[in-house]
């Protein structure tokens, strides 16, 4: 594509080409690297090819694959993916051919995990154990260092043979190269440790050896940790020194890395403000002349365009948003950015799955990574369907079933759609959920689905209307525990609180410490504006030094504790650690939030009674009165499926999905996937 291509009127900067000299990227959108789990699955490369091809078709300028190890010790886990031999290139060709066929470009990410490798053969600059890995690394010998440099270069060359347009050398997030760079993990006294010149030698040798193998017309992206967010991390001067040296060594583009995996500062969770770290890339723009990519919590074309308009970066990286909507770029280009299924940064189906060594997908798009398995092809005969309940499960089912050509009639008893997401969006740090409501409700319109609000249905009505199938997506109701005095007017359930129907006093007891108990505690203690929508306050809360005068951008910086709006007691009957059921990648953030707001957590309690004095509990066998003004019930849910038996008895073909099917572990991820799977086969 020539640089004279007319500018797209909608997102002129994001959609303008990027000329790299020997090749041109069609726009400024990078689909960032993301491990999917398909890399290790039998037959996974065919599925990966379909996954990437769909994103290339969706218009993304450049794709970077999930991390592939240059040798055995660098694998993420014993069966992790590796590219070291010629015979391994054929399966990669499936990917590169599929992407090129769609007019896309793709780079392979070379990732050596170093001390993050989840196996006993892991190695690092020094034998310093990572706090997030039980396996202690062995210090690399000089021979191993040289061999690893060669292995990186060889993988780079094999990538070229496999048809990739380039590679991304993973130098951030606390992986091996990053481990060499920082004194936190590099305690060596030889030419690979000590001075910064020595610590950056490994990174530079890898780049030089790789460039030498592939010649000049091959993209080499270096993912540079610009902000480590750990103690004994790099200083800004060091990061700049390395960036300049990388440019001299022949790197084509520098991508921004933010935070090591072991950092205790959130970097991509939904509570992180949008584009929270583009200022870091902006600082680097003054220092080098090669293109820079910025990343982290960029999830809409509008945000991407703003970043580029400010001149913070030359390209924007989005990984999870491309899982949520493969057609992101095309929709933006057509002026339909409001039709994009926005990534809400929940991590629930992507990173949490990868963490548990399961295949990644997406909560709001269950087709992600299932492109060859979950499809909504036209049904052989169109059915007349009734969907009861307009929460996420009901809306998702309706949309997918309509895509198959079925006539869908959606009935919702309330005067609005959205179910539990209407509540979730009110929780501080979950503001993003509003975008799922926007997407799903507007998609119903685009699919011409008949939506009937204020329309509770009876068995008789449904039978009489003669539907072929009725899908019950009637959700859940809060479980009310049998506690003496539970009907005291000071007691509310979480739904009433999140809907703003309850006035809360200065002291509140929250019963039940599952996901919702945590959400309610955050909601009740939040004083003033949510920090998720105020970047300055958020950076101060987490003690991030935007001048990066402190190593890692945090060392010695005091975190500003947020004020707490009221005193909250969070209670559970179990005597185990609090927050055990929270998600693996974000649970620690919720625990930290409540700690900062000094929420009192009391476990192993028995609820004795509630009266006007407050909540009477038994703790360690002793009676205790919590003098609270209000009590909020977050003790799980029960399925609402009162129509089910009646419909079955009336001989109607009926299906249950979402919370109506199973209330335990109620979650939108399961509800939407279940809806999609039913729609694909009904
Ligand atoms: P939950 O995780 O099942 O927690 C409810 C808690 O209430 C239980 O852990 C239980 O703890 C207590 N409980 C249950 N029955 C009780 C009874 N009869 N009397 C007194 N206490 C009782 O349910 P949830 O908090 O409603 O969350 C549901 C799901 O929503 C989660 O699994 C998650 O998938 C999703 N969610 C997640 C998040 C998040 O991760 N941030 C946020 C919102 C929702 P004890 O028995 O120990 O007291
Ligand atoms: Fe985004 Fe959540 Fe989907 Fe992951 S699961 S891509 S975070 S919406």
């Amino acid at each position: 594509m020539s640089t004279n291509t007319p500018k797209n009127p909608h997102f002129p900067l994001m959609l303008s080409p990027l000329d790299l000299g020997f090749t041109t990227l069609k726009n400024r959108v990078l689909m960032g690297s993301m491990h999917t789990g398909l890399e290790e699955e039998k037959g996974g490369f065919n599925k990966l090819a379909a996954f990437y091809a769909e994103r290339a078709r969706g218009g993304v300028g450049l794709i970077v694959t999930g991390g592939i190890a240059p040798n055995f010790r660098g694998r993420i886990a014993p069966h992790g993916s590796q590219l070291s031999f010629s015979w391994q290139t054929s399966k990669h060709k499936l990917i590169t051919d599929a992407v090129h066929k769609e007019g896309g470009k793709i780079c392979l990410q070379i990732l050596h995990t170093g001390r993050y490798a989840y196996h006993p053969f892991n190695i690092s600059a020094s034998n310093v154990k990572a706090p997030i890995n039980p396996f202690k690394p062995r210090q690399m010998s000089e021979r191993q260092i040289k061999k690893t440099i060669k292995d990186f270069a060889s993988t780079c060359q094999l990538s070229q043979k496999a048809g990739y347009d380039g590679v991304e050398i993973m130098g951030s997030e606390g992986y091996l190269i990053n481990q060499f760079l920082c004194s936190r993990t590099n305690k060596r006294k030889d030419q690979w440790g000590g001075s910064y010149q020595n610590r950056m030698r490994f990174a530079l040798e890898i780049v030089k050896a790789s460039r030498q193998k592939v010649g000049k017309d091959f993209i080499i992206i270096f993912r540079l940790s610009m902000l480590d967010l750990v103690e004994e991390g790099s200083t800004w001067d060091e990061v700049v020194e390395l960036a300049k040296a990388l440019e001299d060594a022949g790197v084509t583009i520098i991508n921004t890395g933010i935070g090591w995996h072991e950092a205790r500062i959130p970097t991509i969770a939904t509570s992180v403000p949008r584009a929270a770290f583009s200022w870091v890339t902006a600082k680097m723009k003054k220092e080098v002349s090669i293109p820079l990519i910025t990343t982290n919590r960029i999830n809409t074309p509008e945000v991407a365009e703003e970043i580029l308009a400010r001149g913070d970066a030359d390209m924007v990286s989005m990984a999870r948003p491309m899982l949520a909507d493969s057609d992101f770029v095309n929709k933006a280009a057509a002026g339909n950015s409001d039709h994009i299924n926005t990534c809400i940064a929940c991590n629930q189906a992507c990173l949490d799955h990868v963490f548990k060594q399961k295949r990644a997908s997406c909560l709001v798009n269950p087709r992600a990574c299932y492109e060859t398995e979950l499809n909504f092809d036209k049904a052989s005969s169109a059915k007349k369907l009734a969907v009861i309940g307009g929460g996420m499960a009901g809306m998702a089912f309706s949309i997918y079933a309509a895509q198959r050509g079925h006539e869908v009639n959606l009935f919702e008893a309330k005067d609005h759609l959205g179910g539990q997401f209407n509540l979730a969006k009110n929780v501080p740090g979950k503001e993003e959920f509003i975008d799922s409501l926007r997407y799903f409700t507007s998609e119903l319109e685009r699919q011409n689905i008949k939506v009937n609000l204020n329309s509770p249905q009876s068995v008789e009505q449904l039978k009489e209307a003669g539907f072929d199938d009725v899908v019950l997506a009637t959700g859940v109701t809060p479980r009310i525990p049998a506690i003496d005095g539970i009907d005291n007017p000071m007691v509310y359930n979480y739904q009433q609180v999140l809907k703003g129907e309850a006035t809360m006093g200065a002291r509140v007891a929250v019963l039940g410490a599952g996901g919702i108990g945590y959400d309610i505690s955050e909601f009740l203690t939040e004083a003033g504006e949510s920090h998720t929508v105020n970047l300055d306050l958020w950076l101060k809360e987490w003690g991030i030094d935007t001048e990066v005068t402190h190593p890692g951008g945090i060392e010695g910086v005091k975190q500003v504790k947020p004020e707490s709006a009221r005193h909250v007691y969070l209670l559970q009957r179990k005597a185990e650690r609090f927050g055990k059921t929270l998600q693996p990648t974000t649970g620690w953030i919720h625990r930290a939030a409540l700690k900062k707001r000094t929420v009192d957590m009391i476990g192993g309690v028995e609820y004795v009674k509630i009266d006007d004095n407050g909540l009477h509990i038994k703790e360690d066998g002793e009676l205790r009165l919590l003098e609270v003004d209000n009590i909020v019930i977050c003790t799980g849910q029960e399925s609402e499926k009162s129509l089910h038996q009646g419909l079955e008895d009336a001989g109607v073909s009926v299906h249950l999905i979402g919370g109506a099917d199973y209330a335990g572990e109620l979650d939108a991820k399961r509800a939407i996937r279940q809806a999609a799977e039913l729609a694909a086969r009904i």
Side-chain angles (χ1 to χ4, degrees), residues 34 268 319-324 342-351 361-365 436:
M34 177 122 191
I268 57 165
R320 297 173 299 169
M322 299 300 156
L323 256 70
T342 307
C343 162
I344 54 174
C346 66
N347 283 356
Q348 265 176 264
C350 52
L351 292 183
S361 187
C362 172
L363 180 140
V364 297
N365 173 25
S436 296

Side-chain angles (χ1 to χ4, degrees), residues 169-363:
I169 295 172
M170 183 41 150
S172 66
E173 323 309 273
Y175 289 117
L176 182 68
I177 295 176
N178 217 174
Q179 291 159 26
F180 268 87
L181 290 170
C182 297
S183 53
R184 177 182 181 81
T185 39
N186 186 342
K187 311 287 180 194
R188 305 178 73 98
K189 305 261 183 290
D190 57 8
Q191 61 158 336
W192 306 98
S195 69
Y196 193 63
Q197 290 283 328
N198 282 352
R199 281 183 275 135
M200 69 179 190
R201 192 183 308 280
F202 184 61
L204 292 176
E205 292 296 318
I206 287 171
V207 170
K208 284 181 201 158
S210 301
R211 179 53 83 202
Q212 211 237 324
K213 288 273 188 201
V214 292
K216 60 182 181 29
D217 295 347
F218 191 66
I219 301 170
I220 296 184
I221 306 172
F222 189 91
R223 184 100 186 255
L224 170 63
S225 188
M226 294 196 199
L227 190 68
D228 292 317
L229 297 178
V230 288
E231 273 148 14
E232 296 180 86
S234 297
T235 61
W236 185 247
D237 289 347
E238 289 172 343
V239 177
V240 171
E241 191 179 340
L242 176 57
K244 289 183 171 171
L246 288 167
E247 182 172 10
D248 292 344
V251 160
T252 323
I253 305 175
I254 294 179
N255 192 1
T256 306
I258 302 288
W260 290 33
H261 285 316
E262 69 205 59
R264 290 295 87 178
I265 313 266
T267 54
I268 57 165
T270 190
S271 57
V272 176
R274 285 179 173 180
F277 295 100
S278 68
W279 56 270
V280 185
T281 320
K283 276 169 86 75
M284 187 57 79
K285 275 292 289 168
K286 300 179 198 114
E287 310 288 350
V288 291
S289 52
I290 50 174
L292 295 183
I293 305 171
T294 195
T295 179
N296 286 54
R297 284 294 279 119
I298 302 163
N299 63 344
T300 69
E302 288 78 10
V303 173
E305 188 73 8
E306 272 168 35
I307 289 170
L308 296 169
R310 277 199 307 268
D312 289 359
D314 304 280
M315 258 187 117
V316 287
S317 170
M318 291 177 263
R320 297 173 299 169
M322 299 300 156
L323 256 70
D325 197 331
S326 59
D327 226 16
F328 183 103
V329 176
N330 284 346
K331 287 180 182 174
N336 294 328
S337 71
D338 58 330
H339 298 185
I340 291 173
N341 191 1
T342 307
C343 162
I344 54 174
C346 66
N347 283 356
Q348 265 176 264
C350 52
L351 292 183
D352 282 330
H353 277 208
V354 172
F355 196 86
K356 293 181 203 155
Q357 304 195 3
K358 280 166 63 177
R359 192 197 303 186
S361 187
C362 172
L363 180 140

